[in-house]
Amino acid sequence: MRGRSDGVQKKRVITSLCIVAIFLGFLYVYYGSIFGAQNRGSSALEYGSRSLRKLGYLGSDEDAVGKQESSTKFGLDDGDDEFIAKSFPVCDDRHSELIPCLDRHLIYQLRLKLDLSLMEHYERHCPPPERRYNCLIPPPPGYKVPIKWPISRDEVWKANIPHTHLAHEKSDQNWMVVKGEKIVFPGGGTHFHYGADKYIASIANMLNFSHNNLNNEGRLRTVFDVGCGVASFGAYLLSSDIITMSLAPNDVHQNQIQFALERGIPAYLGVLGTKRLPYPSRSFELAHCSRCRIDWLQRDGILLLELDRLLRPGGYFAYSSPEAYAQDEEDLRIWREMSALVERMCWRIAAKRNQTVIWQKPLTNDCYMEREPGTQPPLCRSDDDPDAVWGVPMEACITPYSDQIQKAKGSGLAPWPARLTTPPPRLADFGYSNEMFEKDTEIWHRRVQNYWNLLSPRIEPNTLRNLMDMKAHMGSFAAALKDKDVWVMNVIPEDGPKTLKLIYDRGLIGTTHDWCEAFSTYPRTYDLLHAWTVFSDIEKKECSGEDLLIEMDRILRPNGFIIIRDKQSVVDFVKKYLTALHWEAVATADARSDSDEDGDDVVFIIQKKMWLTSESLRDAE
């Protein structure tokens, strides 16, 4: 009996210990999650389906829900209509400037073996699906509605981009100055302390352009500024009807592109590294480098040859750097080697004065054909597609012109602004007729007019500045906005027809992209996104529509707009997430009202609300 009693007693003790252990484990998990969320110093953003710190929103907020199992099908399955997401988790405040595919922390975490000397760490490296940030990017403390264009060219709110290190580092070069609650941009640069306007006029004067106007009576329209700083060069070209793609990496001079876009200046995050830039061949009339700190001689001149690919026949490269004028031994050596390289590339010096040299690319293939056999760099292979750019490695070769360009002795483009509506010569590359181009231009003119009518109750003349057409085709959406004080980043899907060259031929700018990935820009950089069948396209690729919604929210400014033109099932899908994303429906219309096409497409317009986390509010106070 005593032995049996002892056994029962032992069982009771073990049972009691198990209950206590479970209870303590519950307390540990419960309080540990609370204290972990409250500890700002040690909190880290979790990925995928892991739990994320949930912060309160301005106003009431019900329990946040994490990311649901994402579906690539937009049709409503049984029971789907009952699901409405109430809120998304909010990313840690430290990620208010997150760029998912240009995140150096991710590179370290994934232990990618990259060649730093080739700038591979500044190129795109996107997180795999299980490591994506499935949360909303919060604005920084004290965030304000951005200052409107054209005033924004010269000043922005410091709270929106609370980084002043460039103002101190470049204080002798007039890049930017902190004045109270604002950051002011005097228009200076490393090689133009006295203002970009005077520097631009001097380049035009060197080229003997009439009235010292760099647009050369409409013949110079698209410019590429590599290593652009805060993009004051591109900012001051806008008044001359010149549009510039300003490019810089997120490097030691962080936030350059963020400042440019906050100012309302076209800009893109990128680097001359190992991959081709996401622009087609023969896109720019002028490339510019002012102390851009690029080693143009590396790898047999491969970076200079990438510029050559991008320049039009007869295009210019304006180079302001010590090698062009300094007399010390190292600069002279670089100058001699660079001069020999561009001569073998058939570039000639168009002008050289003071601190700047301007080279010009040939109009035809004649010079290439006259080179000695074996001359380096070689011509590219005949099967090389100079317009294939998405993830394509650069090659150290010269891209020759097509027979059409050789015959025309140039690009055959009309001067601006006639170029915008004149059928571009490269239409023939796609089998498109002039009539197809003209009809596309007319249809999108009607559609944009309808969009503006739907938006008119919500916008003032200067409400919108930075626009993006997420699937631009021939650029007719942007062309219809010519009389608005806006600019458009025209995006062409990487797996579709390479029509981006038609867009550049029209005097517009844009880039190539895959919408299954994040875009190369900072959060809060666009005022309006136009998504024409973008969701339907990624559905075919079995990518996540929910990921795309979160990405659109990331790049859209608070109070900004989204125009979705797609099938009804897509609109129904998006509507389920309006509350979760803090978006508000503005208008819905039948797409057939502004189109000659039959179908069930719907126009759905959304506005992103201004919201702050409770933590941001506390910090702002």
Side-chain angles (χ1 to χ4, degrees):
M1 290 290 295
R2 197 159 92 184
R4 195 176 303 160
S5 172
D6 289 345
V8 172
Q9 187 70 22
K10 285 181 182 179
K11 288 181 180 178
R12 288 176 179 171
V13 170
I14 292 171
T15 303
S16 300
L17 287 173
C18 289
I19 293 171
V20 170
I22 292 169
F23 180 71
L24 289 174
F26 172 79
L27 291 177
Y28 175 81
V29 172
Y30 179 76
Y31 286 105
S33 64
I34 293 175
F35 294 144
Q38 291 174 343
N39 186 350
R40 290 191 64 199
S42 61
S43 65
L45 182 62
E46 298 289 333
Y47 295 83
S49 60
R50 300 178 191 174
S51 62
L52 286 145
R53 184 156 64 98
K54 302 177 180 73
L55 301 176
Y57 295 104
L58 182 62
S60 63
D61 182 30
E62 298 182 26
D63 292 338
V65 296
K67 181 177 177 179
Q68 306 293 321
E69 186 69 24
S70 180
S71 172
T72 58
K73 303 299 181 185
F74 298 130
L76 292 175
D77 297 327
D78 291 340
D80 279 359
D81 54 344
E82 297 175 1
F83 167 69
I84 298 178
K86 296 182 180 178
S87 65
F88 278 107
V90 179
C91 294
D92 191 292
D93 276 9
R94 292 172 299 169
H95 298 275
S96 66
E97 292 168 356
L98 175 69
I99 311 159
C101 294
L102 297 172
D103 181 8
R104 283 196 291 272
H105 297 294
L106 176 72
I107 291 173
Y108 300 145
Q109 291 164 5
L110 296 180
R111 298 181 181 179
L112 301 180
K113 295 180 180 179
L114 305 175
D115 191 330
L116 304 188
S117 67
L118 302 184
M119 302 296 176
E120 282 188 295
H121 54 307
Y122 294 137
E123 295 183 318
R124 288 175 59 84
H125 303 282
C126 296
E130 68 273 10
R131 295 183 68 88
R132 288 180 178 172
Y133 292 79
N134 299 313
C135 51
L136 303 183
I137 302 294
Y143 182 85
K144 300 181 181 181
V145 174
I147 295 170
K148 303 304 181 185
W149 183 268
I151 298 172
S152 64
R153 187 195 73 172
D154 302 322
E155 59 183 48
V156 301
W157 294 116
K158 183 173 67 175
N160 290 9
I161 310 179
H163 303 283
T164 59
H165 58 282
L166 273 177
H168 303 301
E169 185 179 340
K170 302 291 183 180
S171 59
D172 61 331
Q173 298 172 13
N174 267 340
W175 278 31
M176 47 190 277
V177 179
V178 179
K179 288 189 177 180
E181 293 186 340
K182 294 179 180 177
I183 294 176
V184 176
F185 302 88
T190 307
H191 253 81
F192 40 93
H193 304 177
Y194 301 106
D197 50 351
K198 295 182 179 62
Y199 174 71
I200 290 166
S202 71
I203 293 176
N205 181 265
M206 290 171 67
L207 294 171
N208 295 317
F209 290 171
S210 60
H211 309 295
N212 291 340
N213 192 330
L214 196 59
N215 77 6
N216 192 24
E217 299 179 342
R219 288 187 286 271
L220 196 154
R221 165 65 180 172
T222 52
V223 168
F224 178 59
D225 187 17
V226 56
C228 64
V230 293
S232 289
F233 182 73
Y236 280 80
L237 282 172
L238 287 165
S239 60
S240 298
D241 271 342
I242 295 173
I243 191 162
T244 305
M245 178 64 80
S246 296
L247 182 96
N250 184 15
D251 61 6
V252 292
H253 298 316
Q254 293 178 34
N255 310 101
Q256 300 170 93
I257 295 302
Q258 192 178 18
F259 279 118
L261 291 164
E262 183 74 11
R263 297 171 70 186
I265 303 165
Y268 185 82
L269 271 165
V271 67
L272 280 164
T274 65
K275 301 290 197 303
R276 282 178 173 175
L277 293 171
Y279 317 121
S281 65
R282 306 196 303 275
S283 296
F284 300 99
E285 278 90 49
L286 172 77
H288 172 254
C289 158
S290 173
R291 288 295 291 270
C292 55
R293 301 192 307 168
I294 291 174
D295 177 8
W296 296 108
L297 295 173
Q298 65 171 283
R299 292 176 284 161
D300 302 317
I302 194 168
L303 303 185
L304 207 57
L305 289 159
E306 174 66 358
L307 280 193
D308 183 84
R309 182 184 70 84
L310 296 177
L311 283 174
R312 296 194 191 279
Y316 300 97
F317 177 40
Y319 183 60
S320 296
S321 192
E323 296 84 18
Y325 64 89
Q327 297 301 310
D328 64 88
E329 185 175 337
E330 179 62 13
D331 285 332
L332 284 171
R333 180 192 67 80
I334 294 172
W335 172 252
R336 285 193 295 267
E337 292 186 22
M338 197 166 172
S339 297
L341 172 61
V342 298
E343 185 178 353
R344 295 195 303 273
M345 292 167 56
C346 292
W347 290 9
R348 69 173 187 87
I349 291 180
K352 187 173 187 292
R353 183 190 301 168
N354 300 329
Q355 302 179 359
T356 303
V357 61
I358 303 174
W359 284 290
Q360 186 174 24
K361 184 180 176 181
L363 280 169
T364 68
N365 290 330
D366 293 348
C367 175
Y368 305 143
M369 300 298 105
E370 294 168 1
R371 299 189 309 164
E372 292 291 329
T375 300
Q376 298 296 318
L379 296 181
C380 296
R381 302 182 313 275
S382 59
D383 61 349
D384 177 70
D385 181 359
D387 301 320
V389 296
W390 190 250
V392 176
M394 293 181 190
E395 290 195 40
C397 61
I398 299 169
T399 304
Y401 301 132
S402 64
D403 292 340
Q404 178 188 357
I405 296 294
Q406 176 76 6
K407 184 178 179 181
K409 295 186 177 182
S411 298
L413 299 175
W416 179 265
R419 180 184 302 184
L420 185 66
T421 52
T422 302
R426 291 195 274 189
L427 273 176
D429 294 357
F430 303 92
Y432 296 163
S433 67
N434 290 357
E435 291 73 22
M436 290 170 63
F437 173 83
E438 290 162 357
K439 183 178 180 181
D440 188 74
T441 300
E442 181 201 346
I443 287 173
W444 279 105
H445 181 79
R446 288 205 310 270
R447 290 176 176 177
V448 169
Q449 198 169 36
N450 184 44
Y451 293 162
W452 242 249
N453 290 337
L454 295 171
L455 282 167
S456 58
R458 298 288 185 110
I459 61 173
E460 300 293 334
N462 64 348
T463 299
L464 306 176
R465 174 62 186 170
N466 303 350
L467 276 60
M468 178 188 288
D469 191 359
M470 297 173 67
K471 184 184 174 184
H473 190 41
M474 287 191 279
S476 294
F477 171 84
L481 292 163
K482 177 185 177 294
D483 296 329
K484 307 289 183 184
D485 211 356
V486 302
W487 66 272
V488 180
M489 180 67 78
N490 294 281
V491 181
I492 294 298
E494 52 82 27
D495 59 345
K498 300 181 182 70
T499 54
L500 191 56
K501 56 188 176 184
L502 303 181
I503 289 167
Y504 275 92
D505 285 355
R506 299 182 77 167
L508 304 168
I509 62 168
T511 187
T512 304
H513 186 62
D514 179 357
W515 283 114
C516 293
E517 300 177 356
F519 193 77
S520 292
T521 191
Y522 282 87
R524 302 173 300 280
T525 44
Y526 285 89
D527 297 302
L528 184 145
L529 307 176
H530 177 240
W532 170 48
T533 68
V534 175
F535 284 90
S536 290
D537 291 344
I538 68 162
E539 179 185 15
K540 296 170 187 173
K541 297 167 70 172
E542 298 188 349
C543 298
S544 167
E546 190 174 302
D547 283 348
L548 180 57
L549 288 172
I550 292 173
E551 172 61 8
M552 291 168 74
D553 182 79
R554 185 186 73 87
I555 65 180
L556 189 65
R557 284 173 166 175
N559 291 342
F561 295 89
I562 297 173
I563 302 174
I564 295 175
R565 188 184 194 95
D566 216 316
K567 56 190 179 183
Q568 182 65 53
S569 58
V570 168
V571 172
D572 293 338
F573 169 82
V574 174
K575 284 180 177 179
K576 295 191 300 181
Y577 292 92
L578 293 182
T579 302
L581 293 162
H582 297 262
W583 294 356
E584 180 183 6
V586 172
T588 306
D590 189 332
R592 287 174 293 185
S593 62
D594 56 23
S595 175
D596 295 335
E597 301 172 3
D598 295 327
D600 61 348
D601 281 1
V602 177
V603 174
F604 185 43
I605 299 182
I606 302 157
Q607 185 172 24
K608 176 179 176 178
K609 298 178 184 178
M610 172 74 84
W611 61 268
L612 295 171
T613 65
S614 57
E615 189 166 341
S616 294
L617 285 172
R618 184 172 64 251
D619 290 348
E621 291 169 359

